């Protein structure tokens, strides 16, 4: 077996488990680490088929002890989501096998089909990708599963927010006051719950970013039932940190232009947008690291903190 990346070696028990879920005569001949994973290790596996061709699968393994504690729940939810998405208009990986309790693998693991395309985090072409992201999210929210996933969960509170050094103190104090209030009423929707550029694959034909198209959406482990505003807010925050605050504000407009429906009252919209922005304040280091590894080396923790401050301030100016 060829490792394109030495760190990508599949552990023996997991490799045996994967092999049991291949077609007769198939075998794993190569592995490659995939970038961007925060909670789990991601690997692309090259499978040699009986006819001499190859195909790819993706293996997700929860190795970090902190995340492994939650892996059983996450993998059950992702398994349900991938099953639900089969045959819908939303392109997602196909489920091959899952071992949520590490009964057969070294770590809790999920094996799924590989989707064509790649994540695109560059500033170039963002004006084309934002409407595509919005239309894709509207399609996700239009799904009506026979069995709803669990209700959304938010962990950030007014007391856990981490105000960046040098931030606009008045704007942050006002934003924190917003999430002290009860959550607004909402009409439930099927949520991805981590919809953002790092979990969307694009086919971008150089040299024309304007010809980009979405080939799939990955990482369905946090699938939930809740307000569309929450998914929109999460993508908006990520766009603001990746490309500048204006793109976070632009995404909410693009979502509505694509036919999505958000809370009618400005104060209700502000609640969800601010809640996600403040939640990111606790995770700036973990959020920005994969972006730097993907080539956005200028997005240091400090730069991302400054963009988050500017974004929260812009939200309070626009809707507060």
């Amino acid at each position: 077996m060829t490792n394109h990346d030495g760190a990508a070696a599949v552990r023996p028990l997991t490799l045996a488990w994967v092999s049991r879920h291949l077609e007769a005569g198939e075998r794993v001949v190569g592995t490659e680490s995939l970038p961007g994973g925060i909670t789990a290790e991601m690997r692309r596996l090259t499978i040699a088929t009986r006819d001499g061709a190859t195909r790819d699968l993706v293996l997700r393994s929860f190795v970090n002890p902190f995340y492994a504690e939650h892996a059983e729940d996450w993998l059950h939810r992702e398994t349900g989501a991938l099953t639900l998405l089969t045959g819908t208009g939303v392109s997602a990986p196909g489920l091959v096998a899952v071992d949520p309790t590490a009964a057969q693998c070294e770590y809790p693991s999920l094996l799924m089909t590989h989707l064509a395309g790649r994540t695109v985090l560059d500033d170039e072409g963002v004006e084309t990708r934002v409407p595509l992201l919005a239309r894709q999210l509207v399609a996700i929210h239009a799904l009506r599963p026979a069995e709803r996933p669990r209700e959304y969960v938010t962990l950030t509170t007014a007391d856990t927010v981490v105000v960046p050094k040098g931030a606009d103190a008045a704007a942050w104090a006002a934003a924190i006051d917003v999430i002290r209030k009860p959550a607004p009423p909402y009409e439930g929707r099927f949520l991805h719950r981590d919809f953002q550029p790092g979990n969307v694959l694009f086919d971008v034909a150089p040299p024309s970013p304007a010809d980009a198209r979405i080939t799939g959406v990955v990482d369905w482990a946090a699938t939930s039932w809740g307000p569309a505003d929450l998914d929109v807010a999460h993508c908006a925050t990520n766009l603001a940190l990746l490309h500048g605050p204006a793109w976070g504000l632009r995404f909410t407009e693009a979502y509505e232009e694509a036919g999505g429906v958000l809370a009618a009252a400005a104060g209700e919209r502000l609640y969800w947008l601010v809640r996600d922005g403040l939640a990111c304040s606790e995770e700036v280091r973990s959020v920005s690291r994969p972006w730097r590894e993907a080539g956005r080396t200028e997005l240091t923790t400090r730069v991302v903190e400054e963009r988050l401050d500017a974004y929260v301030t812009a939200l309070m100016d626009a809707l507060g």
Side-chain angles (χ1 to χ4, degrees):
M1 178 167 61
T2 301
N3 287 339
H4 301 296
D5 179 341
V10 180
R11 295 164 182 85
L13 291 178
T14 303
L15 181 59
W17 173 76
V18 168
S19 298
R20 289 196 293 273
H21 291 284
L22 301 179
E23 299 293 332
E26 292 186 334
R27 61 191 179 92
V28 179
V29 294
T31 71
E32 180 182 5
S33 291
L34 295 175
I38 295 177
T39 59
E41 288 185 356
M42 302 290 294
R43 296 182 179 88
R44 178 165 58 193
L45 309 181
T46 302
I47 312 299
T49 62
R50 287 184 298 177
D51 60 3
T54 61
R55 66 187 181 102
D56 291 334
L57 296 175
V58 173
L59 175 69
R60 182 206 299 274
S61 296
F62 289 84
V63 175
N64 184 299
F66 175 79
Y67 297 118
E69 288 184 8
H70 306 279
E72 183 175 1
D73 175 52
W74 289 340
L75 289 176
H76 279 307
R77 290 162 71 185
E78 184 155 25
T79 298
L82 296 184
T83 302
L84 164 72
L85 292 164
T86 301
T88 69
V90 176
S91 179
L95 176 66
V96 177
V98 63
D99 182 10
T101 62
Q104 301 175 67
C105 303
E106 283 85 353
Y107 303 102
S109 297
L110 176 75
L111 186 65
M112 55 193 143
T113 59
H114 177 266
L115 296 177
R118 61 182 176 88
T119 56
V120 182
L121 306 179
D122 300 331
D123 286 335
E124 183 183 9
V126 63
E127 67 282 353
T128 297
R129 297 193 303 275
V130 163
L132 296 178
L133 289 167
R135 288 198 289 273
Q136 181 66 78
L137 191 54
V138 169
I140 291 171
H141 292 165
L143 297 173
R144 295 293 180 267
E147 182 177 348
R148 293 181 182 179
R150 78 173 190 180
E151 200 76 8
Y152 78 92
V153 174
T154 58
L155 301 179
T156 298
T157 70
D159 297 323
T160 59
V161 173
V162 180
V163 180
K165 181 180 179 181
D168 185 323
W172 278 74
I176 291 171
D177 282 342
V178 169
I179 68 167
R180 293 186 194 277
K181 303 171 186 176
Y186 62 87
E187 182 178 354
R189 290 286 185 269
F190 181 82
L191 306 182
H192 181 282
R193 201 62 180 91
D194 191 18
F195 185 86
Q196 42 91 4
N199 283 330
V200 179
L201 304 178
F202 285 89
D203 175 20
V204 181
S208 178
D211 294 331
R213 65 181 183 89
I214 290 176
T215 58
V217 181
V218 299
D219 196 352
W220 296 85
T223 301
S224 307
W225 187 261
D229 288 79
L230 196 54
D231 260 359
V232 172
H234 188 62
C235 191
T237 298
N238 278 266
L239 288 168
L241 303 187
L242 273 167
H243 308 297
W247 288 107
L249 300 174
R250 169 69 185 118
F251 186 70
T252 59
E253 298 174 351
Y255 180 82
E256 290 188 297
E257 290 167 0
V261 178
L262 297 173
E268 294 178 356
R269 294 190 184 199
L270 179 65
Y271 177 89
W272 300 112
L273 290 166
V274 163
R275 171 166 281 288
D276 193 87
L278 297 184
C280 192
S281 75
E282 304 171 38
E283 304 175 326
V284 170
R285 290 183 183 277
S286 60
V287 167
S288 59
R289 176 182 54 79
W291 294 343
R292 291 193 296 275
E293 292 174 352
R296 295 295 305 273
T297 55
E298 79 281 12
L299 294 179
T300 63
T301 299
R302 184 60 190 145
V303 167
V304 175
E305 286 177 338
E306 290 172 349
R307 288 189 174 184
L308 180 59
D309 175 37
Y311 178 57
V312 170
T313 301
L315 288 175
M316 297 309 298
D317 287 343
L319 298 170

